[in-house]
Amino acid sequence: MIDLKNVTFVYDNGFTALKNVSLSVAKGEFVFVIGSSGAGKSSMLKLLTRETLPTSGKVVVNGFNLGQLKRKHLPKFRRSVGMVFQDFRLIKTMNVFDNVAFSLRVTNHSSRFIRTHVPYVLKLVQLEDKAKMYPRELSGGEQQRVAIARALAIDPPLLVADEPTGNIDPELSLQIVELLRRINSYCGTTIMMVTHEHDVVRYFGGRTISIEDGKIDYDGVINKNNRR
């Protein structure tokens, strides 16, 4: 699903954000990515979503070689990656149903499909009774679940969650990660979750990639409720 080979990324100002990074994430994996602010996590996400290109090295995501991807194939690639953000990015003037349906409408899915698929996705995130509510009427945890539902609506093989628990309280953080892990198990969706919350990672355990100073300094399995 994800394959980075000897990837270096240097910003225009000369700052080297990633230094000869190599990693692979297989289909169906759930991976935590941790690291301090400025370690290189955000730069790696920009490469994985093709917001930018590596200075050197190779980035392959969902079978797409992003360094060689033609502009006409970019929409197809973007539909293969679901994104969940820290700040939710919901459309305030749309209710829950329409927020989730938005990604389906812009990809030209039929109204009939949307009417049946959106309730299915809302049920996955346990919000089937909130379809007519607006973001302002929801808690932070509920808003994040809507954002996850919207990302899942296009049925992406890969879901990337960028600090999805950053704007909600600790108890809800655990619920969001539990939801992501359930989606990983039930749907087979590959999930990469970027977080700075080490306590969450230790609570759940699993494969964890640590990035510091632009390099991978750890890639292994953390036992549940234990430090590595």
Side-chain angles (χ1 to χ4, degrees), residues 31-51:
V31 180
F32 289 110
V33 177
I34 61 174
S36 58
S37 178
K41 304 188 305 297
S42 295
S43 297
M44 187 172 72
L45 288 186
K46 289 179 180 179
L47 293 174
L48 294 179
T49 56
R50 223 254 187 192
E51 289 183 44

Side-chain angles (χ1 to χ4, degrees), residues 50 64-66 68-79:
R50 223 254 187 192
F64 294 88
N65 185 335
L66 301 190
Q68 299 177 359
L69 189 65
K70 295 182 179 179
R71 183 177 295 273
K72 65 180 181 180
H73 297 310
L74 187 56
K76 184 178 181 181
F77 163 69
R78 291 261 167 84
R79 289 194 294 270

Side-chain angles (χ1 to χ4, degrees), residues 85-211:
F85 303 96
Q86 177 178 347
D87 55 357
F88 315 144
R89 302 193 185 184
L90 302 179
I91 301 171
K92 296 179 181 179
T93 56
M94 290 184 179
N95 63 24
V96 167
F97 184 99
D98 288 330
N99 263 283
V100 176
F102 182 78
S103 59
L104 296 171
R105 292 189 173 116
V106 299
T107 50
N108 298 316
H109 284 79
S110 70
S111 297
R112 182 179 180 180
F113 177 81
I114 291 171
R115 284 196 302 271
T116 57
H117 190 63
V118 171
Y120 165 75
V121 177
L122 288 177
K123 188 174 182 178
L124 279 179
V125 300
Q126 299 176 328
L127 286 176
E128 60 267 37
D129 59 338
K130 307 283 185 179
K132 294 183 179 180
M133 298 181 71
Y134 287 81
R136 65 179 180 275
E137 300 174 297
L138 303 175
S139 68
E142 288 171 336
Q143 289 184 59
Q144 190 58 286
R145 281 192 276 159
V146 176
I148 292 170
R150 181 182 56 192
L152 286 174
I154 58 174
D155 195 24
L158 171 65
L159 182 68
V160 177
D162 184 10
E163 301 280 4
T165 61
N167 282 337
I168 54 181
D169 64 45
E171 183 178 349
L172 290 176
S173 293
L174 297 180
Q175 293 179 17
I176 290 299
V177 181
E178 285 173 350
L179 171 61
L180 290 172
R181 291 178 71 91
R182 189 168 71 247
I183 290 166
N184 168 251
S185 177
Y186 180 74
C187 302
T189 308
T190 305
I191 295 180
M192 174 179 279
M193 176 177 160
V194 178
T195 182
H196 66 276
E197 297 187 56
H198 290 223
D199 288 343
V200 169
V201 176
R202 285 191 290 267
Y203 180 86
F204 286 96
R207 184 181 175 189
T208 302
I209 298 169
S210 174
I211 300 178

